[in-house]
């Protein structure tokens, strides 16, 4: 065996061991050897390196059945921090997490000027500010993950954002040069799908449909994020639902997101109650107390949403379909109205459910991407926590 082969095998064993440790709050060397099939010497050597690097911590069991107390290993979550960012239409949400995905700090900042130079400068400012609030750690910020509501190609270039009208921008290289850490940029829905799989004990095949300002979808197939030929997969919000229908920011007419996004639902509710200035919080209260007045609006919305969900299920046949929508998180009963419209005998899926991560999903998916790359792992699984 040459040196290159030995190095590859050592890295592979490290990856296998880390994945098992990630799945447990604490685990012994013997358990790792049993679960991975690696010999005890290999496990001990790898563990010694990881402890020395500050990525693992050792703790003694409180009780022993005889002989030495067993030593348990767990991730040293405070050894480093990952920054996850969601650039939405009107605001930037940012969170720093530890190595186990726990949110250490989180902030939301309004976007007053949506021009790219202004947003880029704002990003640099708020990242510097959040870094100053983090506890001292061995590695500090190990990377920045960023979700964009628009098209991002396989090289992580921002191709087009329908709301801000950004085109062909290389934010990744700009931020990497400024912060001197790896930066990962992706479509926000893709990052939401990653978060659902990593944090919510979801299946190996799922789709996550996000319905905030527009509609997007992240696709996980056999535990891998499906991006398509150029990285543009999941732009389901621009499926044509109504020929010659409402004009969309993409240039077409009758796109799905013009009828089934949360933005459209909120606008329809405001029109129905005659309050164009009604806040989202007021809408929630109105829906809780006077839902009958909105039956027609909700029926039209859920009908259109179900048409798109039906198409997605028939095309991809996912095990799990997750809808991430703030209105639904407050009024989960609306999901039943969508299910009632999925009557086709071709409509096979294991589960249609609401996201438990909500607006944190994009940031958490971005953070998980950073941590996975830092630890050089293929998969992260925190669902057993």
């Amino acid at each position: 065996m040459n040196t290159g082969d030995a190095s590859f095998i050592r890295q592979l064993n490290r990856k296998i061991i880390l994945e098992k440790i990630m799945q447990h709050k604490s685990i012994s060397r013997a358990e790792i050897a049993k679960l991975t099939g690696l010999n005890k010497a290999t496990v001990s050597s790898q563990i010694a390196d990881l402890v020395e690097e500050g990525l693992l911590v050792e703790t003694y069991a409180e009780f022993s059945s005889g002989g030495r107390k067993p030593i348990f290993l767990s991730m040293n979550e405070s050894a480093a921090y990952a920054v996850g960012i969601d650039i939405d239409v009107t605001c930037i949400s940012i969170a720093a997490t530890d190595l186990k995905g726990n949110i250490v700090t989180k902030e939301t900042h309004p976007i007053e000027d949506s021009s790219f130079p202004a947003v880029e400068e704002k990003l640099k400012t708020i990242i510097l500010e959040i870094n100053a609030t983090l506890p001292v750690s061995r590695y500090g910020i190990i990377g920045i993950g960023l979700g964009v509501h628009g098209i991002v190609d396989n090289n992580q270039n921002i191709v087009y954002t329908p709301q801000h009208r950004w085109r062909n921008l290389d934010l990744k290289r700009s931020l990497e040069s400024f912060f001197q850490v790896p930066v990962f940029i992706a479509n926000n829905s893709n990052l939401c799908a990653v978060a659902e799989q990593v944090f919510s004990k979801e299946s190996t095949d799922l789709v996550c449909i996000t319905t905030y300002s527009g509609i997007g979808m992240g696709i996980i197939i056999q535990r891998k994020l499906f991006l398509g030929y150029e990285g543009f997969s999941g732009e389901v919000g621009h499926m044509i639902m109504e020929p010659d229908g409402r004009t969309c920011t993409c240039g077409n007419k009758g796109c799905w997101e013009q009828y089934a996004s949360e933005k459209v639902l909120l606008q329809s509710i405001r029109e129905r109650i005659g309050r164009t200035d009604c806040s989202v919080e007021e809408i929630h209260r109105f829906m809780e107390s006077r839902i009958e007045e909105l039956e027609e609006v909700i029926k039209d919305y859920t009908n259109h949403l179900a048409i798109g969900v039906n198409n997605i299920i028939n095309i991809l046949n996912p095990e799990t379909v997750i809808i991430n929508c703030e209105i639904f998180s407050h009024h989960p009963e609306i999901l039943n109205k969508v299910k009632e419209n999925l009557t086709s005998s071709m409509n096979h899926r294991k589960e249609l459910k609401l996201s438990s991560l909500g607006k944190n999903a994009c940031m958490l998916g971005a953070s998980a991407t950073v941590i996975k790359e830092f630890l050089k792992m293929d998969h992260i699984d925190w669902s057993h926590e």
Side-chain angles (χ1 to χ4, degrees), residues 5-6 68 116 142 150 162 209 235 261 266 313-314 355:
D5 290 337
R68 284 194 223 170
F116 178 73
I142 53 173
I209 303 167
E235 289 296 329
S261 67
L266 293 173
I313 292 172
N314 286 340
S355 169

Coordinates of all heavy atoms in Angstrom, one line a residue, residues 5-6 68 116 142 150 162 209 235 261 266 313-314 355:
D5 N -2.6 5.8 -0.5 CA -3.7 4.9 -0.1 C -3.9 4.9 1.4 O -5.0 4.9 1.9 CB -3.4 3.5 -0.5 CG -3.4 3.3 -2.0 OD1 -4.1 4.1 -2.7 OD2 -2.8 2.4 -2.6
A6 N -2.8 4.9 2.2 CA -2.8 4.9 3.6 C -3.5 6.2 4.2 O -4.3 6.2 5.1 CB -1.4 4.8 4.2
R68 N -12.3 -0.5 36.0 CA -12.2 0.9 35.7 C -13.5 1.5 35.2 O -14.2 0.8 34.5 CB -11.2 1.1 34.6 CG -9.7 1.0 35.0 CD -8.9 1.6 34.0 NE -7.7 0.7 33.7 CZ -6.9 0.9 32.7 NH1 -7.1 1.8 31.8 NH2 -5.8 0.1 32.6
F116 N -27.1 45.3 -4.3 CA -26.1 44.3 -3.9 C -24.9 44.9 -3.1 O -24.6 44.4 -2.1 CB -25.5 43.6 -5.1 CG -24.5 42.6 -4.7 CD1 -24.8 41.4 -4.1 CD2 -23.1 42.8 -5.0 CE1 -23.8 40.5 -3.7 CE2 -22.2 41.9 -4.7 CZ -22.5 40.7 -4.0
I142 N -15.5 28.9 11.8 CA -14.9 28.0 10.9 C -15.4 28.2 9.4 O -14.9 27.6 8.5 CB -15.0 26.6 11.3 CG1 -16.5 26.3 11.5 CG2 -14.2 26.3 12.5 CD1 -16.8 24.8 11.8
G150 N -33.1 32.8 -4.6 CA -33.0 32.9 -6.0 C -32.1 31.8 -6.6 O -31.9 30.8 -5.9
P162 N -35.1 37.0 -8.1 CA -36.2 37.6 -8.7 C -36.7 38.9 -7.9 O -37.1 39.9 -8.5 CB -37.3 36.6 -8.6 CG -36.6 35.3 -8.6 CD -35.3 35.6 -7.8
I209 N -40.7 22.2 0.7 CA -41.2 23.3 -0.1 C -41.3 24.5 0.8 O -42.0 24.4 1.9 CB -42.6 22.9 -0.6 CG1 -42.6 21.6 -1.4 CG2 -43.3 24.0 -1.4 CD1 -43.9 21.0 -1.7
E235 N -36.9 25.0 -8.7 CA -37.6 26.3 -8.9 C -39.0 26.0 -9.2 O -39.5 26.5 -10.3 CB -36.9 27.1 -10.0 CG -35.5 27.6 -9.6 CD -35.6 28.7 -8.4 OE1 -36.6 29.4 -8.4 OE2 -34.7 28.7 -7.6
S261 N -48.0 31.2 -2.6 CA -46.9 31.6 -1.6 C -47.6 32.2 -0.4 O -48.8 32.7 -0.5 CB -46.0 32.6 -2.3 OG -46.6 33.8 -2.6
L266 N -51.2 36.2 2.5 CA -51.3 37.4 3.4 C -52.0 38.5 2.7 O -52.8 39.2 3.3 CB -49.9 37.8 3.9 CG -49.2 36.8 4.9 CD1 -47.8 37.2 5.2 CD2 -50.0 36.6 6.2
I313 N -45.3 15.4 -6.1 CA -45.4 14.0 -5.6 C -45.3 13.1 -6.8 O -44.6 12.1 -6.8 CB -46.6 13.8 -4.7 CG1 -46.4 14.6 -3.4 CG2 -46.8 12.3 -4.5 CD1 -47.7 14.6 -2.6
N314 N -46.1 13.4 -7.8 CA -46.2 12.5 -9.0 C -44.9 12.5 -9.8 O -44.6 11.5 -10.4 CB -47.3 13.0 -9.9 CG -48.7 12.6 -9.3 OD1 -48.8 11.7 -8.5 ND2 -49.7 13.3 -9.8
S355 N -42.9 21.8 8.6 CA -41.6 21.9 9.1 C -41.6 22.3 10.6 O -42.4 23.1 11.0 CB -40.8 23.0 8.4 OG -39.6 23.3 9.0

